[in-house]
Amino acid sequence: MEKRIRRQRCQLPSCYYEGYLQKRSIKDKVARKLWTCLCGNTLFFFNEMRDADYIEKLDLSGMISVTDDNSQDHNLDAARFILRIKDRNIKFTAPSAEARELWKGYIYSVAKLFVPSSLNLLPGQVQMLKQTVELEKQRPKNIIPPAVTSCSHYVSVQADMPACYHSVSRVDAELLLEKEAERGNMLLRPGRDGNSFAVTTRQDLYGPVFRHYRVTRKHEGGFFIDVDNPVPCATLHDVINYLVEKTNGVLIPLLIEQTYEDHISYILSDVESGEMSVQQALSIVPPSVPLKPAVLRKPTPEPAPAPTVEESLCLNDMSEYGSTVPTISPSLIALI
């Protein structure tokens, strides 16, 4: 069994069939009940149905056969089958005989790309297997080149998500809309192939009715709602707005406000009585940083003002004429 690569369920290939299986291989001492998804030509195993990360995966490209397990078992109703691959055998137990036939049919059809004729299935179930074979044949052709699905492009799209976007699977989307029916009946979520998105809606018609719409990203930019008459939209916000407007507001985006605690609290057990109580952590005020002392500067003497031009000219004139002006004698003054 290959080790897990950290990819979420929304980033896995298209899921053809899923359900609980009890799995047991040579390494497993006891059978483990795991949520199993057939995505592309690989089986992905999860601890629980709602888990986003798988714990194991099994590539079916080297499959040899998948047959019923007719060995004796204390549980006479056990629907067991054996998956033989090139290096080991793995035993599975399905919840019913019908589920076992479907698992055998899907695994064989995806691995060998044709539907076996030895299965005990209804005509409609056989038709579903034929459609799965065609999808698996086309899947490698529909993989978008890495240049289109680069991290920078994906992050730029994620940064502008509508408020009703929730990173949940198809099953979890239905459960979330069922739980939060009073807040909204429509949400946007990732697509199963990791390159597209989907809109899930819930309405009541003698019981809950769920619908899922694929939203595909265009190579040249933008999106379109993948229905009989594709609806082009520039952004994911336009996708949601279009559905709200065309349904006259019947579809309401599911908005869930996240709540946070106002105080840091913890649960403390009393040493003597053993009673549990909720305590609030004391607020710790960080010590204030002392201010640096101001550095006193010595005042610098102001320079003496320079004499103006007029004063210098006047002084020069006085010194010049002081040597040339004639003096008047006293006798002359008496005659006047």
Side-chain angles (χ1 to χ4, degrees):
M1 196 70 63
E2 297 183 16
K3 294 183 179 180
R4 177 181 65 173
I5 301 175
R6 288 193 173 275
R7 287 192 300 168
Q8 290 189 345
R9 186 182 300 188
C10 62
Q11 297 174 322
L12 300 179
S14 299
C15 184
Y16 301 130
Y17 195 63
E18 57 186 350
Y20 277 110
L21 286 176
Q22 291 186 10
K23 169 186 169 294
R24 184 172 183 177
S25 62
I26 298 177
K27 298 179 181 179
D28 301 323
K29 295 182 180 180
V30 295
R32 294 181 297 163
K33 185 178 180 180
L34 301 173
W35 182 260
T36 308
C37 298
L38 177 59
C39 301
N41 62 342
T42 305
L43 287 172
F44 293 89
F45 302 96
F46 302 82
N47 284 322
E48 298 293 341
M49 179 180 63
R50 298 185 181 184
D51 289 352
D53 297 326
Y54 61 87
I55 59 173
E56 298 178 32
K57 72 175 183 177
L58 177 63
D59 189 1
L60 299 177
S61 57
M63 189 200 77
I64 299 175
S65 64
V66 53
T67 57
D68 292 346
D69 183 4
N70 296 320
S71 59
Q72 295 183 355
D73 191 273
H74 66 279
N75 184 6
L76 300 179
D77 296 330
R80 293 176 287 115
F81 63 96
I82 300 176
L83 176 61
R84 292 182 174 88
I85 54 179
K86 54 186 176 182
D87 56 349
R88 62 192 180 278
N89 296 340
I90 303 175
K91 295 183 178 181
F92 293 98
T93 302
S96 65
E98 182 182 2
R100 177 180 60 184
E101 290 298 299
L102 284 172
W103 274 113
K104 288 165 48 183
Y106 275 102
I107 291 174
Y108 194 97
S109 300
V110 169
K112 301 298 183 179
L113 294 181
F114 69 89
V115 179
S117 58
S118 58
L119 296 175
N120 185 17
L121 295 175
L122 297 174
Q125 294 172 331
V126 174
Q127 184 63 28
M128 291 170 57
L129 294 180
K130 291 181 179 180
Q131 294 176 357
T132 301
V133 171
E134 295 301 321
L135 291 174
E136 181 61 18
K137 289 180 180 179
Q138 295 294 327
R139 184 175 63 86
K141 302 177 183 179
N142 296 332
I143 297 177
I144 301 178
V148 177
T149 59
S150 62
C151 294
S152 60
H153 179 75
Y154 186 73
V155 170
S156 64
V157 174
Q158 291 277 28
D160 192 27
M161 284 295 180
C164 63
Y165 174 80
H166 300 273
S167 183
V168 294
S169 64
R170 183 189 184 103
V171 176
D172 291 340
E174 295 181 357
L175 294 175
L176 183 59
L177 289 174
E178 185 75 21
K179 178 182 178 182
E180 305 291 346
E182 296 181 356
R183 298 189 178 186
N185 56 9
M186 175 178 62
L187 63 81
L188 178 70
R189 60 177 177 83
R192 287 183 174 178
D193 57 4
N195 298 321
S196 62
F197 297 89
V199 173
T200 300
T201 65
R202 178 195 178 278
Q203 291 184 279
D204 290 311
L205 182 63
Y206 308 108
V209 177
F210 296 96
R211 291 185 173 86
H212 305 271
Y213 303 94
R214 183 189 297 273
V215 180
T216 305
R217 181 184 300 149
K218 297 190 292 185
H219 291 277
E220 63 274 13
F223 306 87
F224 65 89
I225 305 174
D226 194 358
V227 289
D228 290 340
N229 295 321
V231 180
C233 299
T235 65
L236 293 174
H237 291 275
D238 295 335
V239 172
I240 301 301
N241 293 335
Y242 177 86
L243 294 174
V244 172
E245 293 175 0
K246 293 302 179 180
T247 59
N248 295 323
V250 173
L251 294 180
I252 303 172
L254 175 61
L255 307 179
I256 300 179
E257 296 182 359
Q258 301 294 335
T259 59
Y260 299 93
E261 299 293 336
D262 296 329
H263 304 282
I264 299 175
S265 59
Y266 60 95
I267 299 175
L268 181 65
S269 175
D270 188 85
V271 178
E272 297 180 356
S273 63
E275 295 182 356
M276 310 293 288
S277 61
V278 179
Q279 303 290 330
Q280 287 190 0
L282 298 177
S283 300
I284 301 177
V285 180
S288 59
V289 180
L291 299 176
K292 295 182 179 180
V295 179
L296 298 177
R297 296 182 179 180
K298 295 182 179 180
T300 56
E302 296 183 358
T308 59
V309 178
E310 294 181 358
E311 292 178 349
S312 60
L313 288 176
C314 183
L315 293 174
N316 291 336
D317 294 342
M318 291 177 62
S319 60
E320 181 179 357
Y321 287 104
S323 59
T324 57
V325 176
T327 58
I328 303 174
S329 63
S331 59
L332 181 59
I333 295 176
L335 293 176
I336 295 173

